Structures are given as structure tokens and as C-alpha cells.
């Protein structure tokens, strides 16, 4: 080190003794005093008391001990109900356009230019269909869900959610700001993991990172919505179906929140012990949301970007699925080998081999779980008349048709419920895992954050299956 | 802009003259804000965007760059540094959106990111976005930023909230007390952004010479220690623009700053003189209400 540099540090050290211990506080005090003085000179407050403070009135309601939580759940249910019932019709429309009309045209076109069957299979039945499926199933719900969520965000509701949840997080030994990173995770877990940077203490930040996976991300919303619609919605009369399905999805999301608390609690008492830090949560003023701008940004920035990501992953996945279903060894396709191999374990935990294979294929993107499951189910049951031959990823005209395919594949209500549970509790997608590694810079914590949820997921589905079978008696 | 030229605006002016006159007028520049998005090649100036959480930094950022950095009504959503560009008055600016912080004492990662950029990134201008309806608390950060750099523009945002609460904020008074340009805005509705751009431009090209207010610590021993240390620092690092602040941080035992002294990094801190030829220093800018 240079001598003259050392001299500066030395005299700083010496002088520190002279100025006395309390000087840090003195500096802060001076800062506050000056800020107050300057602000006082510039700001004039109104003479009379504000007649009616709307912000405070709303706050008193949405953060009240009695009404805070019910209002929160009500709001969530309303958002999902609008999403589920609103997405139905446009989904069908896009589907019939992309798959009933465009796909046969592509097939015919391929045949007329003499494309070999395997090439048109890979391109049209594999890559195109999986992409078309993802677009028709994901676009409408996202185009409704994201704007609604963004409007709530713009209005200023999210910090109130954090305010309501703060004391629970505190009791769980975690940081209150985790409520914000958790809420962020409902959009995208990778974004949620990055947003934990607002938490100062490394211990509490790790807890927030590991548990962020339990925030149901938008890649998993469509799975939840679809399975809830076809298994839970069909249990009740049609006019109630949308509402009941929405309640099903909300229950799963709330279970995720509950798991966040439980796992945070567990972590803070075992491998991540320590004190809870305090912080100030600022409740911003409510602002009238800018509706048009919100619509624009949430459709362009969130919906299309997420959709694009899904498409990018769905295309190669479609190719892989088609190939694994059409390359056979001794008359049996690779996919069937895998499914049969995983089936016993799958059934043990109340799922099946198809679901497990689909989850392996879908590690890059959770969005394509459902199309993969449907395609593989048809492959295994050999159902004729639906889809267009082996290895073709397809969607069905309605929830009921999907249900009939799935029941033919041996699905029960238990399989549906367990799929919803497993979709909530399993490893984060590859993007999130990579983000966790970048943020923590530690292989150990990345592995823990990846494997802990998988193990938990299998445990939860296993016990659900055992209890269910005990009660149902088979 | 010579005064006679303005006084001479009569019907005799040819259209060419008129155009030339127009081109030198701030309003003309504002109409010509070019949002460059992520295109940040060959920029002339670097502008940092600091402020408390949830004061509208990202909204200002988006309005100037045309980017759509996610904005939301809750504190703490910008945790990374976002960068974008804009062109104004034939100069290219790179705008860096810093995480929102209440202070720059670097006790957490976001504070450290913000402070390190303002100190080591040496932006040509630092905009501090301030919630005008919560001025007192926001001034804490403003005063801390002004300890590090005197190239500051205050964006007095959320003026609609001030109106809504029947308050009044005298931005001219504030500008006089702080000694830096203060521009009232409502970034959500693009109000005041032209004036903000003009102020940024003026500070960037050195047309406004700030006379920044420094916190008075009212602590004789401290003042003595600081000036003693300051002298030493200025001797070793003659270029350092904020020796007083560095001295204070050293006394406070700030690890990052101690390290910067140790490895001589502090010596590389000089404000690149970006003042172009032929620009006379203009101490008064009526637009931003900044006088003397």
C-alpha cells in the first residue's frame, strides 16, 4: 500500500477518537435537523384539517385485523373468477383457428410438396402443435390476469398485502419485506428471487429466496386453472363452475402462502437461525390506476414476453415429445418405456407415470406441462378418434372432452388434485434455478432451493393419496 | 443567445433567422426529445436517477427513455440498475435508474449500488426524484447526494399528491435553499418533463453552476477533524470533487471508502470536464426557479 494513502487512514483513525463516539448519531441528527428546517420553509400545509381522507379510510378497512384477510381472499377470488370465466371463449376461438383450421392446411401443404412423413411430423405435429397449444391456452388467461393484477399494483394495494402479512412473517422468523418478494413471485419466481434484494440481512434473504417457489407463478397458473376447471368445476352445476374453479385455484395459491410461512419458520429454526430485523414499511398513497397504460404495458411487457418464453420452450419440447413417441425400440416407443418405468412410483404418490415424464420434459418451462400430459396420455391409452395419431400434441374442444381423455388414461379426482398440489410444490423452473445461483453465488443454497420443494412435493402428494384412499376406501 | 437578437424580433426577421432563433430555444429542444430506448452508443453525458423508494423514478425513467421498465405503486420494486438513453438538444444522454433508497450510508445492497454509482460512476448529472408530498423525509437523501456531488437536479415529483392534500410546496424557495435546480413534475402524466430535461441539459453542459448546500453539523470538534482530514485528502487526491464527504466517511469508518483510499481508487475520481466551448456560465435559470 502506498505510504501517503496509509497516512490518511491513520489520521482518520486518530481523529475518530477526538470527535467522540456519538458523532455518527450527531451526523444523522444534523441531517434530519437540516432536512426539517428546509422542508418547513418550503411546505405550507392547509389551515383546516382535511375534511375526509379517502386514503386513510380505505387503509383502515383493507389493513384491519378483522377485514384485512377476508378482503384479500375475496379480491384474489374475484380476479381468478374473472380470469377463468373470461378466458374460456377466446381460448376456444384461438384454438379452433390455429388447430382446426391452420393445422390441416399445413398438413395438406406439406403433403402436396411431398414432405416426408417424419419431417412433417416433427415440424407440424411436434413443433407447430405444441406452440399453437401454448398460445391458445395461455394467451387469454394471461391477457386477463396480468392487467387485473397490474391494476391492483398500480392502485397501491400490494404494500397493504405486505402490511397484513408482515406480522406472520415476523412470527415465522423471516423479514416482513418477504411479503413483497412473495407477491412478486406470483408473477414470476425468477423476478421474485431478484426482488429479495430489498432484504438486507443475508439470512432472511436466503429464506425469502428458498420459499419464493411456493408463490404460484404465471407458468403454473394455466395448469391450475385448467385442472381446476375440468376436475373441480365439473363437480358442480355449470353456472357455479367458474366460481368453484376459482375457489379451487385460490385455495392452492393460499396453500402456497401457508407453505411459505411454514418453510420460513422451519428454516429460521434450523439451518438459518437468527434474529428478525425490523424495518419501516411505507404505505404509498392510493393512486387512480392509469387504465389504458396498464393495459398496454401488461399486455405487451408481461403477457407477450411470458408467452414468447413459453413458445421458445414449447417448440423444441414438441419436437422431443414427437420423437420420443415415434422412435421405437422393439415395438415400444421411448416415451412408453419412460412412462412404464415411472408409473409405479407415480401411482404411489397419487399421480402417474405420464405426469412425471411431463414434468421432466417441462423442466425448462412449466407452461408446457399440460399439453405434454395430454399427448402422452393419448399415446398410452391409444385412444382413437382424438388427436391425430401418436405423438401429436393436441387440445380438445372443451374441458369435458379433456376430462374424458384423462379418465380413459386412468385419472381420477385424486390425480387432478394431486397434480395441482404437485404443480405448486416442485422444483423451480430452470430460469429460476439459474437466477437463484446468480443471486446467492452458492451451489449449496441453489441445490437446497431446488431439491427441498421436490421432496416436499412428493411427501405432500404421497400423504394426500394415502389419506384419500383410506377415506375413499380403495 | 444575445439579448439584442431577442429584442430585434420584428416582422423584418427572415424565416432563416427565425429558425435559427427557434433552434436555440429550450422549448424547441423539448419538442425534439428523442427517446433512444436501449440504444446508448456514443453518449455525451451520464445521468443517474436516484430517490426514495416509490417516488416515481421508474416512471421518470420510462418517460425519458421510452423504455417500459416495470413500474408499480409499491416501494422497492427496482432493485437492479436499469439503463436507457435519450437525445436532447443534440446531446446523447445515458440514463441510469438506481434502486430507491432512503439513505446512502450503504447499509444494504441497494443503498450500496446507488451510492457506488453516484460516487464511482461519476454521473454528469444526478437527478434526485423527490416525493413532494413527503418532502421532509425525502430531503434526507437529497442532502446526502449533495454531499457527494454538486451536479444535482431535484425532480419534485408527485405534485398532484401535493394538490390533493391541499398543500403547497414552494419549489423556488427550495431551489434557493438547496442551491440546485428544482423542477416540479407529475411524471405519471408527463407534466414538467420538458423543464426537467432543460435543467438536466443545463447542469450537464455546465451552464448552471451549482452552489450546493452542505449540512451544518454544529459540532466544532468534528468540523476541525473534517477540515484537517480534508486537507490531507486534497493533497494526495487533488482531483477528488468531494473531499469533505470522503473525510466524513473515513471518520465514520466506512469500509468501502477506506478501501478506495487504500488502493488509490479514489485518485481516479475526477469529473471529466464536459463543458463545451462557448457556453457562458448562466447562474440564473428561470425555468427551474433556481436563482443565485
Amino acid at each position: 500500500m502506498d505510504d501517503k494513502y496509509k497516512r490518511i487512514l491513520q489520521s482518520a483513525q486518530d481523529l475518530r477518537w477526538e470527535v467522540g463516539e456519538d458523532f455518527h448519531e450527531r451526523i444523522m441528527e444534523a441531517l434530519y435537523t437540516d432536512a426539517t428546517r428546509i422542508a418547513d420553509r418550503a411546505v405550507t400545509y392547509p389551515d383546516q384539517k382535511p375534511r375526509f381522507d379517502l386514503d386513510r379510510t380505505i387503509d383502515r378497512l383493507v389493513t384491519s385485523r378483522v377485514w384485512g384477510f377476508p378482503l384479500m381472499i375475496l379480491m384474489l377470488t374475484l380476479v381468478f373468477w374473472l380470469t377463468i370465466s373470461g378466458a374460456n371463449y377466446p381460448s376456444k376461438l384461438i384454438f379452433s383457428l390455429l388447430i382446426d383450421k391452420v393445422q390441416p392446411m399445413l398438413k395438406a401443404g406439406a403433403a402436396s410438396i411431398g414432405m416426408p412423413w417424419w419431417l412433417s411430423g416433427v415440424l407440424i405435429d411436434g413443433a407447430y402443435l405444441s406452440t399453437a397449444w401454448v398460445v391458445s391456452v395461455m394467451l387469454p388467461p394471461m391477457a386477463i390476469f396480468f392487467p387485473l393484477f397490474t391494476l391492483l399494483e398500480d392502485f397501491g394495494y400490494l404494500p397493504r398485502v405486505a402490511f397484513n402479512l408482515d406480522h406472520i412473517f415476523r412470527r415465522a422468523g423471516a423479514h416482513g419485506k418477504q411479503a413483497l418478494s412473495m407477491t412478486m413471485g406470483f408473477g414470476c419466481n425468477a423476478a421474485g428471487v431478484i426482488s429479495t434484494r430489498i432484504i438486507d440481512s443475508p439470512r432472511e434473504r436466503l429464506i425469502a429466496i428458498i420459499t419464493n417457489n411456493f408463490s404460484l407463478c404465471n407458468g403454473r397458473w394455466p395448469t391450475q386453472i385448467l385442472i381446476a376447471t375440468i376436475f373441480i368445476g365439473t363437480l358442480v352445476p355449470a353456472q357455479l363452475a367458474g366460481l368453484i374453479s376459482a375457489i379451487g385455484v385460490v385455495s392452492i395459491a393460499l396453500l402456497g402462502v401457508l407453505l411459505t410461512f411454514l418453510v420460513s419458520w422451519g428454516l429460521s429454526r434450523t439451518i438459518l437461525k437468527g434474529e428478525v430485523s425490523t424495518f419501516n414499511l411505507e404505505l404509498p398513497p392510493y393512486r387512480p390506476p392509469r387504465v389504458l397504460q396498464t393495459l398496454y404495458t401488461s399486455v405487451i411487457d408481461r403477457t407477450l414476453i411470458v408467452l414468447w418464453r413459453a413458445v421458445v420452450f414449447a417448440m423444441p419440447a414438441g419436437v422431443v415429445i414427437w420423437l420420443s413417441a415415434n422412435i421405437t425400440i422393439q415395438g415400444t416407443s421411448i416415451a412408453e418405456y419412460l412412462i412404464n418405468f415411472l408409473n409405479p412410483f407415480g401411482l404411489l404418490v397419487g399421480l402417474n407415470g405420464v405426469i412425471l415424464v411431463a414434468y421432466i420434459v417441462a423442466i425448462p418451462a412449466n407452461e408446457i406441462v399440460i399439453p405434454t400430459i395430454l399427448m402422452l396420455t393419448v399415446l398410452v391409452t391409444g385412444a382413437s378418434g382424438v388427436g391425430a395419431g401418436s405423438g401429436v400434441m393436441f387440445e380438445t374442444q372443451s374441458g369435458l372432452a379433456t376430462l374424458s381423455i384423462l379418465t380413459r388414461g386412468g385419472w381420477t379426482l385424486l390425480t387432478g388434485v394431486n397434480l395441482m398440489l404437485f404443480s405448486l410444490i416442485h422444483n423451480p423452473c430452470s430460469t429460476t434455478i439459474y437466477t437463484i445461483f446468480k443471486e446467492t453465488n452458492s451451489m449449496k443454497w441453489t441445490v437446497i432451493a431446488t431439491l427441498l420443494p421436490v421432496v416436499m412435493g412428493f411427501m405432500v402428494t404421497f400423504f394426500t393419496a394415502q389419506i384419500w384412499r383410506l377415506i375413499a376406501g380403495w | 443567445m444575445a439579448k439584442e437578437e431577442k429584442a430585434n424580433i420584428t416582422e423584418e426577421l427572415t424565416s432563416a433567422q427565425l429558425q435559427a432563433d427557434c433552434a436555440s430555444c429550450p422549448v424547441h429542444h423539448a419538442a425534439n426529445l428523442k427517446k433512444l430506448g436501449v440504444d446508448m452508443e456514443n453518449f455525451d453525458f451520464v445521468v443517474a436517477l436516484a430517490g426514495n423508494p416509490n417516488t416515481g423514478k421508474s416512471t421518470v425513467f420510462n418517460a425519458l427513455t421510452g423504455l417500459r421498465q416495470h413500474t408499480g405503486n409499491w416501494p422497492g420494486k427496482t432493485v437492479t440498475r436499469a439503463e436507457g438513453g435519450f437525445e436532447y438538444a443534440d446531446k446523447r444522454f445515458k440514463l441510469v435508474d438506481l434502486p430507491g433508497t432512503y439513505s446512502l450510508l450503504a447499509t444494504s445492497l441497494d443503498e450500496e449500488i446507488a451510492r457506488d454509482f453516484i460516487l464511482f460512476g461519476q454521473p454528469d448529472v444526478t437527478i434526485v426524484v423527490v416525493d413532494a408530498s413527503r418532502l421532509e423525509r425525502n430531503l434526507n437523501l437529497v442532502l446526502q447526494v449533495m454531499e457527494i456531488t454538486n451536479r444535482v437536479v431535484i425532480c419534485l415529483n408527485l405534485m398532484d399528491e401535493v394538490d390533493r392534500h391541499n398543500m403547497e410546496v414552494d419549489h423556488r424557495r427550495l431551489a434557493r435553499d438547496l442551491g440546485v435546480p428544482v423542477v416540479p413534475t407529475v411524471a405519471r402524466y408527463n407534466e414538467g418533463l420538458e423543464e426537467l430535461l432543460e435543467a438536466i441539459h443545463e447542469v450537464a453542459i455546465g451552464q448552471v453552476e451549482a452552489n450546493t448546500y452542505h449540512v451544518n453539523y454544529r459540532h466544532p470538534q468534528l468540523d476541525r477533524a473534517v477540515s484537517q482530514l480534508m486537507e490531507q485528502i486534497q493533497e494526495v487526491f487533488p482531483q477528488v470533487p468531494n473531499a469533505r464527504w470522503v473525510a466524513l466517511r473515513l471518520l465514520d469508518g466506512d469500509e468501502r471508502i477506506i478501501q478506495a483510499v487504500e488502493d488509490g481508487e479514489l485518485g481516479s475520481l475526477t469529473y471529466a470536464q464536459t463543458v463545451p466551448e462557448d457556453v457562458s456560465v448562466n447562474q440564473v435559470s428561470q425555468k427551474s426557479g433556481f436563482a443565485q
Side-chain angles (χ1 to χ4, degrees):
Chain A
M1 198 207 304
D2 205 314
D3 251 10
K4 51 189 184 186
Y5 299 160
K6 213 185 267 178
R7 263 200 306 270
I8 294 181
L9 296 181
Q10 189 54 50
S11 54
Q13 213 156 29
D14 296 342
L15 288 166
R16 205 173 299 155
W17 290 108
E18 274 177 42
V19 293
E21 267 182 33
D22 64 334
F23 107 95
H24 182 83
E25 284 69 35
R26 294 282 289 267
I27 291 179
M28 295 310 291
E29 213 180 284
L31 209 59
Y32 278 91
T33 315
D34 277 14
T36 310
R37 194 174 46 82
I38 296 173
D40 274 352
R41 283 156 62 112
V43 182
T44 321
Y45 291 94
D47 300 331
Q48 79 275 50
K49 286 225 166 207
R51 292 136 298 185
F52 171 71
D53 193 332
L54 187 65
D55 280 21
R56 209 176 312 145
T57 315
I58 300 176
D59 264 346
R60 222 171 264 156
L61 201 64
V62 298
T63 61
S64 91
R65 272 171 198 282
V66 184
W67 296 107
F69 276 91
L71 276 174
M72 218 161 70
I73 293 166
L74 200 71
M75 202 98 79
L76 263 179
T77 313
L78 184 72
V79 166
F80 289 121
W81 178 70
L82 287 173
T83 306
I84 290 172
S85 44
N88 218 349
Y89 180 71
S91 253
K92 272 183 202 159
L93 208 67
I94 299 175
F95 174 81
S96 72
L97 178 74
L98 290 182
I99 292 169
D100 291 347
K101 297 224 169 66
V102 175
Q103 205 236 348
M105 271 161 53
L106 287 176
K107 287 290 266 189
S112 71
I113 58 164
M115 196 185 266
W117 71 273
W118 55 269
L119 189 59
S120 81
V122 164
L123 291 181
I124 299 167
D125 295 336
Y128 172 77
L129 263 188
S130 62
T131 311
W133 203 97
V134 165
V135 171
S136 66
V137 166
M138 288 186 61
L139 181 60
M142 285 195 313
I144 299 172
F145 176 71
F146 284 142
L148 287 176
F149 197 77
T150 315
L151 283 176
L152 275 184
E153 191 181 338
D154 208 24
F155 176 58
Y157 185 61
L158 289 196
R160 274 77 190 182
V161 172
F163 183 87
N164 284 340
L165 297 179
D166 168 55
H167 65 279
I168 309 182
F169 275 111
R170 204 172 280 262
R171 218 170 294 160
H175 199 289
K177 278 190 198 167
Q178 194 178 326
L180 288 173
S181 67
M182 182 185 82
T183 326
M184 204 59 180
F186 282 124
C188 169
N189 290 142
V193 167
I194 292 177
S195 74
T196 59
R197 287 183 187 179
I198 54 175
I199 298 171
D200 314 334
S201 113
R203 180 189 79 87
E204 288 157 337
R205 208 179 147 204
L206 272 173
I207 293 179
I209 288 176
I210 293 171
T211 54
N212 196 272
N213 185 48
F214 298 120
S215 294
L216 204 55
C217 72
N218 65 57
R220 295 179 277 169
W221 288 117
T223 308
Q224 300 289 350
I225 291 170
L226 186 78
I227 296 295
T229 312
I230 64 180
F231 278 99
I232 298 173
T234 47
L235 294 177
V236 294
Q239 64 268 30
L240 284 175
L243 184 64
I244 297 295
S245 313
I247 291 175
V249 176
V250 170
S251 312
I252 290 289
L254 289 178
L255 178 67
V257 176
L258 184 70
L259 281 172
T260 304
F261 292 138
L262 286 179
V263 174
S264 301
W265 182 83
L267 287 172
S268 72
R269 262 150 201 80
T270 52
I271 48 176
L272 286 168
K273 265 189 207 149
E275 291 298 307
V276 177
S277 23
T278 54
F279 75 107
N280 284 316
L281 181 69
E282 187 182 341
L283 294 181
Y286 291 101
R287 291 176 200 153
R290 292 158 299 173
V291 177
L292 288 179
Q293 191 170 346
T294 302
L295 277 178
Y296 176 80
T297 50
S298 57
V299 167
I300 299 299
D301 287 355
R302 288 188 162 180
T303 311
L304 290 188
I305 282 175
V306 170
L307 189 71
W308 174 242
R309 198 181 87 94
V311 165
V312 164
F313 282 108
M315 262 200 266
V319 172
V320 168
I321 293 164
W322 190 88
L323 288 176
S324 72
N326 283 279
I327 297 175
T328 55
I329 302 167
Q330 290 165 351
T332 312
S333 68
I334 297 177
E336 271 175 276
Y337 274 116
L338 265 176
I339 291 167
N340 291 336
F341 174 72
L342 290 172
N343 211 28
F345 178 69
L347 289 177
L348 183 70
V349 295
L351 298 168
N352 57 41
V354 169
I355 296 176
L356 295 182
V357 172
Y359 266 101
I360 295 171
V361 175
I363 284 178
N366 291 312
E367 292 86 340
I368 56 171
V369 165
I370 287 290
T372 313
I373 285 174
L374 286 178
M375 195 242 27
L376 291 171
T377 305
V378 170
L379 178 72
V380 176
T381 57
S384 54
V386 277
S390 60
V392 177
M393 203 189 268
F394 67 96
E395 157 67 318
T396 48
Q397 288 288 14
S398 67
L400 274 176
T402 313
L403 180 64
S404 86
I405 291 166
L406 291 177
T407 43
R408 234 181 299 176
W411 285 55
T412 61
L413 180 58
L414 168 65
T415 325
V417 169
N418 262 356
L419 175 58
M420 287 173 78
L421 287 171
F422 190 67
S423 158
L424 172 71
I425 322 164
H426 70 94
N427 58 289
C429 72
S430 53
T431 313
T432 307
I433 296 175
Y434 177 64
T435 310
I436 293 174
F437 179 70
K438 269 200 312 192
E439 291 295 312
T440 59
N441 237 330
S442 140
M443 199 46 108
K444 178 186 151 199
W445 290 112
T446 311
V447 170
I448 289 177
T450 309
L451 293 185
L452 181 79
V454 188
V455 173
M456 281 181 57
F458 282 126
M459 272 166 43
V460 169
T461 48
F462 174 77
F463 284 114
T464 310
Q466 299 317 310
I467 293 166
W468 189 291
R469 284 168 187 161
L470 210 65
I471 293 170
W474 55 268
Chain B
M1 287 179 268
K3 267 186 187 163
E4 309 91 72
E5 201 179 311
K6 282 203 169 167
N8 278 344
I9 300 181
T10 55
E11 54 282 359
E12 292 158 44
L13 272 176
T14 64
S15 66
Q17 268 176 306
L18 201 66
Q19 252 168 13
D21 202 48
C22 268
S24 66
C25 160
V27 178
H28 173 80
H29 296 325
N32 286 321
L33 166 67
K34 221 191 250 168
K35 298 172 180 181
L36 297 176
V38 289
D39 170 20
M40 290 169 289
E41 295 292 304
N42 311 316
F43 51 83
D44 301 298
F45 300 110
V46 178
V47 179
L49 202 53
N52 282 16
N54 211 36
T55 49
K57 281 180 305 300
S58 300
T59 310
V60 172
F61 178 85
N62 291 346
L64 295 183
T65 60
L67 289 173
R68 291 185 307 271
Q69 164 90 334
H70 180 62
T71 62
N73 188 6
W74 56 286
K77 73 212 163 311
T78 308
V79 281
T80 44
R81 238 173 56 192
E83 300 185 356
F86 63 91
E87 194 178 308
Y88 175 77
D90 297 325
K91 295 277 183 241
R92 292 168 74 88
F93 294 80
K94 177 168 124 177
L95 188 62
V96 181
D97 189 13
L98 301 173
T101 57
Y102 292 103
S103 91
L104 290 180
L105 299 173
T107 53
S108 65
L109 185 62
D110 42 356
E111 283 185 15
E112 204 177 307
I113 292 173
R115 190 196 69 181
D116 282 2
F117 189 81
I118 296 174
L119 180 64
F120 298 109
Q122 298 186 75
D124 296 290
V125 183
T126 300
I127 308 170
V128 188
V129 183
V130 161
D131 179 348
S133 66
R134 291 152 199 236
L135 188 60
E136 181 179 337
R137 192 183 42 203
N138 280 247
L139 280 181
N140 258 314
L141 181 72
V142 171
L143 291 173
Q144 289 183 49
V145 171
M146 288 186 352
E147 298 280 288
I148 303 181
T149 170
N150 60 1
R151 299 177 159 220
V152 176
V153 172
I154 307 295
C155 169
L156 198 60
N157 198 24
L158 305 179
M159 285 303 283
D160 51 339
E161 288 295 322
V162 170
D163 293 341
R164 205 161 72 88
H165 291 106
N166 294 323
M167 292 160 60
E168 264 171 59
V169 177
D170 183 350
H171 65 273
R172 288 186 180 81
R173 167 115 233 171
L174 194 61
R176 268 198 299 279
D177 282 351
L178 293 174
V180 295
V182 174
V183 185
T185 62
V186 186
R188 263 161 70 87
Y189 301 111
N190 289 324
E191 284 169 30
L193 292 181
E194 290 173 15
E195 290 81 358
L196 181 66
L197 279 166
E198 177 56 19
I200 295 169
H201 180 243
E202 282 178 353
V203 172
I205 62 173
Q207 209 171 16
V208 170
E209 203 169 65
N211 178 22
T212 44
Y213 175 83
H214 287 289
V215 178
N216 180 358
Y217 294 109
R218 298 175 188 85
H219 189 323
Q221 283 129 300
L222 181 65
D223 289 344
R224 219 174 308 127
V226 166
S227 52
Q228 196 179 331
L229 207 49
M230 241 172 94
E231 244 167 65
Q232 261 181 300
I233 293 167
Q234 274 162 340
E235 211 170 283
V236 179
F237 306 106
Q239 300 284 68
V240 161
N242 39 29
R244 185 179 124 108
W245 183 79
V246 172
L248 265 169
R249 297 317 302 150
L250 287 179
L251 283 173
D252 206 3
D254 190 316
E255 290 295 335
R256 180 74 179 88
I257 306 304
I258 290 175
Q259 198 202 326
V261 172
E262 256 175 17
D263 53 27
E265 188 184 352
L266 209 57
S268 63
L269 288 191
T270 62
Y271 279 98
Q273 280 305 303
T274 38
V275 183
E277 66 293 330
D278 229 6
V279 172
S280 55
V281 171
N282 177 6
Q283 289 258 24
V284 183
S285 161
Q286 295 297 344
K287 269 219 138 104
S288 49
F290 167 59
Q292 284 116 45

